[in-house]
Amino acid sequence: MRNLRNTRRDQLRVPGDLILKAFGWDIENESIICAFGPIRDDPLIQLKRWHHDLEEKEDALEVIASWDAPCPLPDLECDSVLGLRYFSDSFTTCVVLAGGDIIVVREAPSDDEEKIEIVGSVDVGISGAAWSPDEELLAIVTRADTLLYMTKEFDNISSVTLAEDDLQASKHVSVGWGKKETQFKGKGAKALRDPTMPEKVDEGLPSVHDDNCSTISWRGDGAYVAVNSNQASPRRVIRVYSREGELDGVSEPVDGLEGALSWRPDGNLLAGIQRFDDHVDVVFFERNGLRHGQFPLRIAIEEITDEWATSIVLEWNVDSSILAVCFRDRVQLWTMGNYHYYLKQEVSFAIPPSKGRIYFQWNPEQPLMCTVMSEDSVHRLEYVLSVDAGSTIPPDDYGILSVIDGKEVKLTPLRLANVPPPMAFHEVSVKSNIVSAATYGGGSNTKLAVLEHDCLSIYRWNLESKPVLAPVFLASAGTAACQGYVQQVVFLDDEQALVLATNKSGSTISLFRLTAMDLKHLNSLSIPFTQSICSNFSKLNNIPCLHFSFSGRVACSPAILEPSLGLDPGSFSKNAWNDICVLPKLTREVKVIDLWNKHFEKIASEQGHDRSLTIAFGLTPNGSLYANSRRLAKDCTSFLVTPAHLVFTTTQYLLKFVHMDQVEDLEVPPDTPEIDERCRSIERGARLVAVIPSISALILQMPRGNLETIYPRALVLAIIRQNIDEKKYKKAFLSCRSHRVDMNILHDHDPESFINNVDSFVDQIAKVEHIDLFLSQLREEDVSQTMYKDTIMRGKPGPNIPMSRPNVGAPGYSRKLKINNICDAFLEALQSRASTNLQNIITAHVCKSPPDLEAGLLEVAKLQRHNSEEAEKAVEHICFLVDVNRLYENALGLYDLELALLVAQQSQKDPREYLPFLQKLEELPSHRKEFTIDDYLGRYTKALTHLHTINDFEEFKLYMAKHKLYEDALHIYRRQEDRIEGLMDLYAEYLSKEAKHKEAGVVYEYIRNYASASEAYRLAHLWREALSCAGLIPLEEAQLQSFASTIATSLQELKDYHSAAIVHQDYLHDLESAARLFCKGYFYADAIRILSLNQRPDLVDAVVDAGLVEGMGTMTELLAECKAQINAQVPRLRELRIKKVEEPLAFYDGDVNDGMDIPDNVSLAATDASTTGGSLFTRYTNRTGTVGTNATRRTSKNRRREERKRARGKKGSVYEEEYLVNSIGRLVDRVNAVGDEVERLVVGLMRRGMRERAKAVEGAMVEVVGLCRDCVGEVFQSESKDGRGAEERKDHSLDRPTGGDGVLWDSMEISQARKEAPEIKAFEKLALFSR
């Protein structure tokens, strides 16, 4: 679907005393090496370099060398150049002459080298020569039918004779694939003959116009070379040889085959020419010599014998996309798509018969650059492949494609019909081959311009008629006034067209105006060399604008050709245009757009100028996509521009959308099609053809040529949002439904506006089924901020985006209750439409969150009383929306047995089950029926309320106890104190059984049952409450002391020595035991206090001092153990972590190979049968689908075994590190816990005169606290020191394995998680020990 457009044409006129004979490319210097001579009267050969970019014409030709080359062969009038190749790495030129000489010309020879040297000579002469693509081999065909291979140093490495016996080398067998003889024609067809036997067998007879030349062509990779030569038979034969000189294949006999030959660089086809009496074909061969299709050159029968059509040369460009067919005075450029060959361009040259013919050569690196040579001139041509499409601005975005094919332009409005190429919706034929085509507008007044070499024609096309007829011719005009070679035509507006032409001095642009009668040329202006012009996207303030692109420079001129501007014809006024940007010089395809809506108009006014919001997008041949001077992508293959988006494809087979914005704010999406709606995957090699925003369509062309239409989310959502903003809810809804867009966008795009316009939504949608569809798809998620957040421009609105976000914080609106808000709005709007939209009302109730099934069923119940038939339909609908069993229970909960029966009939329930049950309920009294229903439905609290209404207290208590409804029962009887005591007693018994002794004691004390309360408090270890209740029973002194002794014993078992001492002091009156318990809990001050209070100094020495010595020994031993544990575990932990980094294999699974070396050619990937488990990737990264594939870690038994291993943390196991970290953490907690005890112990020792012991205990504590503080930072560090641990773990969305693998997984998760280091409590030293 792409056309070839000429972007530059440089011309060199050869001085009159020189005759150009050959040329070659100098890629390094971007110049052309030209060979002048020899001729019959002058054997001089001159090599000159053409610098086409020099402005001074006299400096354009740089002399390299010259020498005389007399012809050594008597049958030749003069020698001739058969091949010229420039080697940029050595600055040498190789010239192959027909006389047999091979000459090397050195531009910078060394001292021991000659500037001009004959490096080889073939005595019999040379008929053809060609260098391999890698420039390592030179293939030569001699006049003695010999094929020679020579190296770059011109050493002959192979010599092969082109013999008659070669014709027997290949035995061709064709089974007729693709021939009409092999196609099935139905039962009535004649008896099929053998399709492998053709009706006519070619003998290989040469063409009458055969020039007996030999042609050589290499395959693109240089592995094979083909030779097209004549045999003495006579027969024209194509031989294929390998790089080593071995014959690989010979072409099958083809009558009329000529000497043209070109091997497609892709390697699949060889192209040749076959001439018939009435037409000429380009025929294709496979490498094995078999025919593989053809296409006709469109030469009229009367022109076949003309001189210009008698000698044809073929040449593929470097990327195999274009086949050049060279005649004597013209070149045709053909492309292929969908197995059809299109004639895209024909370049003619005015060459008189005496000047010979033209010679053609593609650039070896740039596929769309070529050179054409004649004896007196050299033309350097550059092309670009572009799609000639119509406007992308609604409503004129019909997606009109203009495809040039020779004398026809194929037109297809993709918005109306996606006609597969090479077919078209309509075709327009003209008299000569077409150069360019353009369309303007849309609808009933679509204009078409067709540019030929000498004529411009205008057509009108009515796309709104039914059916759409062919375009109607309006007028035409000659292009002689364009002053050069015409290149491109564009529309300036509905009545004006512009033609771009090029000549020796630059470019010209000519204005043609369409009147009611004809097409007139108004004016022509000279401008610098311009690659392209465009005006499709540029309408600023309703003034037509024209954009130029020359040498990478993009400029704009509003109405440059208007006479009112006072421009001097023939000159280019710099005041008439403004620079937009400077793109790279290699930019071939340029599209310009003006960002001009209310939002961007405000920005432009703030910036103080109008042109800042004009963007030129350019694509270079190497795939760099630019927006003005900013490069957006470096892997772009095609792009399109709409008012809202830049759309482009990449070499990674991705389609990307960029929201249109100022250049510096353009945001290119990442390569994440899985999560970003602005990026999606496409077929390999697909290219953009057209975009139609009004129907959200994007058309791509696949590599083979067929078209595919897709509807990307970015385009679809742009239209949906636009329709929502315009309150066109029906269009937006249908778009969501057609393209499977989440319908929540209808609300989430503008919530406040949607809620306020629900009536309009219902009126527009109208269909009950469509409203139900919308309501049933509601979710609390805001899709405009989640799944579709990337399809709207961030920060600033675009052309189809509201200027501000909706006021979602408006009174009465809550995002949290989105579904219920919408359903309530629909219920309010549908109340007046209940007769027609009752189904929607039911749906709105049911779709709430949680579903309001009772309200929906009540609507059905109301309907049931008036219209039973409609009620059945309503029940059927609600049963479709909700689980019928759940609905049956809700119907029962309404105590409407008729409604429940109606619902049950829609379910799969057995009537033998529900009918007796409903009949039994019907016979019960009202409150008993309600109690039975609520009990059946499990609504026990409500059933308990019905029992209270029935006033059966005994049954009430039994039901309360059965279903543990004590709190509900107390609430029901909260005002009847006579019932409360009995209920509270039952409640206390229940709490005691549930081991909630504290709560049971409170309840018992509430009802004054102090005996049960004291026992409950004792079991809850609440000694104060237990003894106080025991005293209120009241108990005798002996019983009270026994009870107190029991409590004290339990407190000692709990190591609550302080509380046990108080019980002994206050209730048992045992002063000595109380003091001992205080000392045991390190409360020495309390022990000394009670002894001194009771005048027992004797017990101070006997009890307190002994307690101090015992406490000092216990504490010293504990601190020594802590110190030893730290000194042992911290170095071990450090060693493990070093080992994990340096030797992860050994750390996670030990040395599985017992120190043996593993061969580097043996796979280490683990399998299900492996006994070591885990791959190297597992051990080094800790991340795979399962941490180990060991079969011994899968059962629950192995899981328990693995958990025991983890708990033990055995030395050398994978769990040791986790065990050591947890152990040190517990040690720190223990040190923090004993800090207060140590302080009390030190003070007690000092008070009793044990200074040295106090100092020793304090020193040991200070040392342990210091060790803990030093090691805690190292021990509780994160596994990922660079802080990437958490983010890295988030990226691995792997499922936790089961069995033993899960235990190891949990262990590794914990070890890799960042642990919060425990706080070390400060230990305050006693000021008495400052030294």
Side-chain angles (χ1 to χ4, degrees), residues 559-577:
I560 185 174
L561 299 177
E562 287 293 331
S564 60
L565 293 179
L567 297 179
D568 182 18
S571 65
F572 182 66
S573 173
K574 292 185 178 180
N575 297 325
W577 54 272

Side-chain angles (χ1 to χ4, degrees), residues 649-685:
T649 56
T650 71
T651 55
Q652 302 299 318
Y653 323 128
L654 296 175
L655 175 66
K656 294 188 176 183
F657 290 83
V658 179
H659 297 296
M660 203 60 71
D661 203 345
Q662 298 184 90
V663 173
E664 61 274 11
D665 296 328
L666 292 173
E667 182 183 358
V668 179
D671 297 347
T672 53
E674 303 85 3
I675 60 175
D676 196 333
E677 292 286 1
R678 296 172 298 168
C679 179
R680 65 174 288 173
S681 299
I682 57 176
E683 184 177 333
R684 178 176 181 176

Side-chain angles (χ1 to χ4, degrees), residues 102-236:
I102 303 173
I103 302 171
V104 172
V105 179
R106 301 180 178 91
E107 293 190 51
S110 60
D111 295 338
D112 58 344
E113 293 179 334
E114 298 180 4
K115 185 177 182 65
I116 303 172
E117 180 183 359
I118 300 176
V119 295
S121 182
V122 179
D123 295 338
V124 297
I126 299 174
S127 60
W131 283 93
S132 63
D134 58 3
E135 298 182 342
E136 294 296 330
L137 285 180
L138 173 62
I140 296 175
V141 175
T142 69
R143 293 164 64 91
D145 292 337
T146 303
L147 175 64
L148 303 178
Y149 280 173
M150 301 183 73
T151 65
K152 197 173 184 178
E153 290 74 26
F154 302 100
D155 297 326
N156 189 5
I157 60 174
S158 179
S159 177
V160 181
T161 301
L162 308 182
E164 290 279 350
D165 295 340
D166 296 343
L167 305 183
Q168 309 301 323
S170 295
K171 297 181 180 179
H172 306 115
V173 178
S174 174
V175 295
W177 294 119
K179 299 292 185 66
K180 63 180 182 179
E181 293 87 350
T182 62
Q183 306 306 309
F184 181 68
K185 301 178 181 179
K187 295 181 180 180
K190 296 181 180 180
L192 293 176
R193 59 181 182 81
D194 187 355
T196 63
M197 298 299 296
E199 296 179 359
K200 177 180 178 298
V201 178
D202 286 356
E203 300 177 6
L205 298 177
S207 169
V208 294
H209 297 287
D210 197 338
D211 55 3
N212 294 319
C213 68
S214 296
T215 309
I216 303 174
S217 181
W218 287 86
R219 199 170 75 171
D221 58 0
Y224 293 92
V225 64
V227 179
N228 187 350
S229 62
N230 267 330
Q231 289 297 127
S233 314
R235 175 183 166 185
R236 172 68 70 171

